[in-house]
Amino acid sequence: EAEVAQSPRYKITEKSQAVAFWCDPISGHATLYWYRQILGQGPELLVQFQDESVVDDSQLPKDRFSAERLKGVDSTLKIQPAELGDSAMYLCASSLDQPGTYNSPLHFGNGTRLTVT
Amino acid sequence: EDKVVQSPLSLVVHEGDTVTLNCSYEVTNFRSLLWYKQEKKAPTFLFMLTSSGIEKKSGRLSSILDKKELFSILNITATQTGDSAVYLCAVTGANSKLTFGKGITLSVRP
């Protein structure tokens, strides 16, 4: 079964450093999502792409976070500078649907666990 | 703002027990409600419910949606230790935005 690929699996960084995460969605999935999950909480949406365009980034802390999906396939999420409170699991997900025509579930990657020291 | 509340937050049962996990929601332009199971890594999809009153079933797991009362339940019968996980409920509203609850931690003891 096709999977959403994410790397790295784990990342430890010092505060004020830059960090980047990569995601390759399931082939043919036009919609890509980045979620952040703090321990004990449900995932929270950071940014949603439809192909290469951002559909929703209202919860993305834009002073330090950026995301891109230049060719509408794989995506990168960057944090600069990292803060202690950014320690969390960063999950990428993809789905077949376009916004407004939601018919299929999100499929998640295994995530990147970030620890900021 | 869309909101999903799950209860209880955690639950401990013994193998063979039946459990019911609850999810209530408030969402603008409701489209669907989803249940996911999360062990130590990515959430894995269980069910998607779009119509009220229709039961989705897969083996020992089943779920039903009540759109009038704005809630869903996930039922697990004859629980096994492998059912131990966090169960996440999420709803989709406008623009396909998926909003998750905090999850229910289920522990099944032998």
Side-chain angles (χ1 to χ4, degrees), chain A residues 30-71:
Chain A
T31 310
L32 184 147
Y33 308 77
W34 283 101
Y35 280 85
R36 175 171 62 186
Q37 186 175 24
I38 296 168
L39 195 64
Q41 304 282 325
E44 294 177 292
L45 180 68
L46 291 174
V47 62
Q48 177 183 340
F49 288 93
Q50 175 63 31
D51 298 313
E52 67 276 8
S53 300
V54 173
V55 173
D56 184 349
D57 64 356
S58 56
Q59 301 300 311
L60 189 71
K62 297 181 189 63
D63 56 335
R64 297 185 301 107
F65 286 64
S66 64
E68 60 184 17
R69 193 183 183 199
L70 293 175
K71 295 183 180 177

Side-chain angles (χ1 to χ4, degrees), chain B:
Chain B
E1 186 178 323
D2 298 345
K3 188 175 172 184
V4 177
V5 177
Q6 293 186 248
S7 64
L9 287 181
S10 64
L11 195 55
V12 180
V13 301
H14 291 282
E15 271 191 316
D17 288 349
T18 293
V19 298
T20 298
L21 310 180
N22 302 296
C23 175
S24 63
Y25 62 89
E26 297 172 21
V27 63
T28 303
N29 296 327
F30 173 88
R31 295 186 181 276
S32 60
L33 183 144
L34 296 91
W35 284 97
Y36 285 84
K37 177 182 181 182
Q38 186 173 27
E39 296 172 89
K40 293 196 182 296
K41 43 185 183 176
T44 53
F45 171 73
L46 294 175
F47 298 115
M48 182 167 75
L49 300 147
T50 56
S51 299
S52 196
I54 294 177
E55 184 179 7
K56 289 279 184 90
K57 192 172 170 65
S58 176
R60 296 176 295 102
L61 277 66
S62 62
S63 183
I64 196 161
L65 171 68
D66 186 328
K67 285 173 72 175
K68 182 180 176 186
E69 300 298 331
L70 307 182
F71 79 88
S72 173
I73 61 168
L74 176 67
N75 231 54
I76 309 174
T77 59
T79 51
Q80 302 171 357
T81 54
D83 296 327
S84 296
V86 175
Y87 290 83
L88 294 164
C89 174
V91 292
T92 308
N95 292 324
S96 302
K97 181 177 175 180
L98 197 63
T99 301
F100 283 86
K102 291 188 177 181
I104 297 170
T105 301
L106 174 65
S107 299
V108 181
R109 300 226 169 119

